[in-house]
Amino acid sequence: MSIASNLAEIKDSIAKTARSCGRDPQDIKLVAVSKRHSIAAMQEAMEAGHFLFGENYIQEAVLKRAELSREAKIHFIGHVQSNKAKQASEHFSMVETVDRYKLARSLNKHLERLDRTLNILLQVNIGNDPGKSGVAPEKTEELLRDIAGLSRIRTLGLMTIPPKSQEHDGARIHFRNLRLLGEELAARELFFDNNAVELSMGMTQDFTTAIEEGATIVRVGTAIFGMRPPLP
Ligand SMILES: *Cc1c(COP(=O)(O)O)cnc(C)c1O
């Protein structure tokens, strides 16, 4: 299967799922997760009319950003080490994985120097999974309030990676909980736009479930680009 036909199939599946639960397919953005895949593969996606990508590794993402035309937009979806805040502030249309104040403050400092604003999501460890990054659900409000004081950062919503589960439909409860948390925080007017809170959740295995539970951004890699090459 080609990248173009995989993309067409995923977009069709997104649209069908959205309509089946009474949502507008336009309200769901597809982030094509291209980590460890080649620039040529990304260009193939662009030739098929897809321009939004997700990357996990700063160095790889910055290299790709430099090679791709300006039409390409990259969401950073990997862990951001504090010493990589400068690069993270400069090269991406969104950083989905802010999970601590120190990082946000560091991003803000670099954004001031660059005279730039940055859209972010807060990564929430919604399943309280000890192996995962992300702010604890009960600490999310405090982090949002702290970040609201940083003038160059706009918090558009929440992102999560649920714990791995062997159970059928195991991710659904976590997706639902992320949506409920988003609704609670929006009711307190803590986001940049409280009428359009972004929820980034769902990957190849479970993006349709995530859409049923309210995802506005799904992050799909394998189903578009195939298996990832191993880490070097
Ligand atoms: C790799 C990755 C994805 C894509 O996963 P697939 O199973 O290949 O679709 C999505 N989100 C994050 C945060 C990832 O690291």
Side-chain angles (χ1 to χ4, degrees), residues 58-78:
I58 292 274
Q59 264 182 320
E60 176 184 343
V62 170
L63 278 173
K64 285 172 164 175
R65 171 65 282 168
E67 289 294 318
L68 293 166
S69 75
R70 297 313 302 180
E71 293 165 287
K73 300 281 177 250
I74 298 179
H75 282 198
F76 194 75
I77 61 171

Side-chain angles (χ1 to χ4, degrees), residues 83-129:
N83 63 357
K84 300 279 164 57
K86 181 170 187 289
Q87 285 151 302
S89 68
E90 197 165 355
H91 298 286
F92 308 120
S93 66
M94 186 184 281
V95 175
E96 295 198 11
T97 44
V98 175
D99 61 357
R100 58 204 190 277
Y101 183 67
K102 185 171 170 243
L103 171 62
R105 201 182 47 195
S106 179
L107 287 168
N108 195 66
K109 184 185 73 187
H110 293 294
L111 290 162
E112 278 173 350
R113 286 191 196 132
L114 294 163
D115 195 18
R116 193 171 186 265
T117 55
L118 180 67
N119 293 332
I120 67 156
L121 305 179
L122 296 191
Q123 181 177 359
V124 181
N125 187 359
I126 198 73
N128 290 303
D129 183 342

